[in-house]
Amino acid sequence: MRVLLAEDDKTLATSLCKALEKRGYGVDWVEDGETALYSAKELEYMAMILDVHLPKMSGIDVITRLRQQNNRIPVLMLTARDAPAQKVQGLDSGADDYMIKPFDLEELLARLRSLQRRSHGRTETVLKSGDVELDPAGMVARKAGAPVLLTAKEYRILRILMERAGRYVTKSDISYALYSAEDVSESNTIEVSIYSLRKKFGNGFIHTIRGVGYMVGETHVR
């Protein structure tokens, strides 16, 4: 799933991007409020991590504009100021959660997962297709109950396919979910990961129609 990160601190943003991508998220990073607003309106994201103090437009103004336009993207707001009044302003503007810098990375990831569960209206998000299970909250895949070790890229591709189970997902859709706009993927990187997933879950698990895309069978949530 893809996350929009709006943060003008390059050191912090670079660290966050690496940590999120390592845990299976695709990340688009923007450095000012105007770009954050445009991106959140034009593209689909699982959540946005939004700094309060951004150039061109503040995080408060960004979330206010989005909510006025009935955009319900889950927003985790960040600020360096531990001021109750600013927390209240952010939450009243429509933010779903709030963290103070400096923050613990694992706590941020846990809050991000919580936003995802709430946005889907459920507390459990385990996907199951045949004897394959994927637990996005725990970021664990299993086959016949046994854990399967995946690379970050394999996990992200498996998640994309299982969340869109029953319909074909194009290579370009997978590429968009995997890579930032500035990144260029190698031509065969998705095919290599699909091949590896087939070895781990069985050749019949992922179906391919050349020129159309990839698909796994229908899943259900438990």
Side-chain angles (χ1 to χ4, degrees):
M1 295 295 286
R2 201 152 196 84
V3 174
L4 176 61
L5 172 62
E7 172 60 65
D8 64 330
D9 183 326
K10 291 181 173 59
T11 301
L12 175 59
T14 300
S15 176
L16 272 175
C17 285
K18 290 180 179 178
L20 289 165
E21 289 170 353
K22 183 178 180 181
R23 288 161 176 81
Y25 294 95
V27 186
D28 283 346
W29 168 31
V30 300
E31 300 182 62
D32 65 81
E34 288 183 359
T35 307
L37 179 63
Y38 174 83
S39 298
K41 288 166 58 178
E42 296 298 319
L43 301 172
E44 184 177 349
Y45 294 98
M46 180 271 285
M48 174 162 58
I49 301 172
L50 178 65
D51 188 30
V52 168
H53 301 288
L54 291 171
K56 299 184 180 180
M57 180 184 293
S58 73
I60 297 294
D61 289 337
V62 170
I63 187 64
T64 298
R65 293 274 294 275
L66 287 172
R67 297 312 187 226
Q68 287 173 346
Q69 296 163 8
N70 203 32
N71 186 312
R72 306 312 305 169
I73 179 175
V75 174
L76 173 59
M77 190 162 275
L78 305 177
T79 185
R81 297 181 183 176
D82 189 5
Q86 193 172 58
K87 291 182 183 179
V88 171
Q89 184 183 16
L91 294 170
D92 283 348
S93 298
D96 299 275
D97 203 352
Y98 210 104
M99 291 191 72
I100 303 296
K101 301 177 184 177
F103 50 81
D104 179 77
L105 177 60
E106 292 302 323
E107 181 182 354
L108 181 143
L109 293 169
R111 289 179 183 235
L112 200 58
R113 292 192 295 270
S114 177
L115 285 184
Q116 181 187 2
R117 291 195 295 270
R118 277 186 275 163
S119 70
H120 282 70
R122 57 179 182 263
T123 58
E124 296 292 336
T125 57
V126 177
L127 303 172
K128 184 175 174 63
S129 177
D131 64 351
V132 177
E133 289 186 351
L134 182 68
D135 179 2
M139 299 186 70
V140 176
R142 299 181 180 88
K143 179 174 173 60
V148 178
L149 183 62
L150 301 176
T151 67
K153 189 171 296 180
E154 290 167 359
Y155 168 81
R156 287 155 66 182
I157 291 176
L158 179 63
R159 180 168 177 170
I160 293 164
L161 293 175
M162 292 190 72
E163 288 181 332
R164 306 183 192 184
R167 63 186 189 272
Y168 282 95
V169 183
T170 67
K171 182 179 176 181
S172 60
D173 285 341
I174 295 174
S175 182
Y176 170 75
L178 287 178
Y179 302 102
S180 300
E182 296 81 6
D183 291 340
V184 178
S185 64
E186 296 179 6
S187 61
N188 68 337
T189 185
I190 293 174
E191 287 89 341
V192 170
S193 295
I194 293 290
Y195 175 77
S196 179
L197 288 170
R198 285 195 172 113
K199 289 182 64 177
K200 294 177 179 181
F201 295 105
N203 287 331
F205 178 62
I206 299 175
H207 308 284
T208 303
I209 291 184
R210 190 173 298 276
V212 177
Y214 307 98
M215 180 182 73
V216 301
E218 292 287 350
T219 68
H220 63 267
V221 178
R222 68 169 179 82

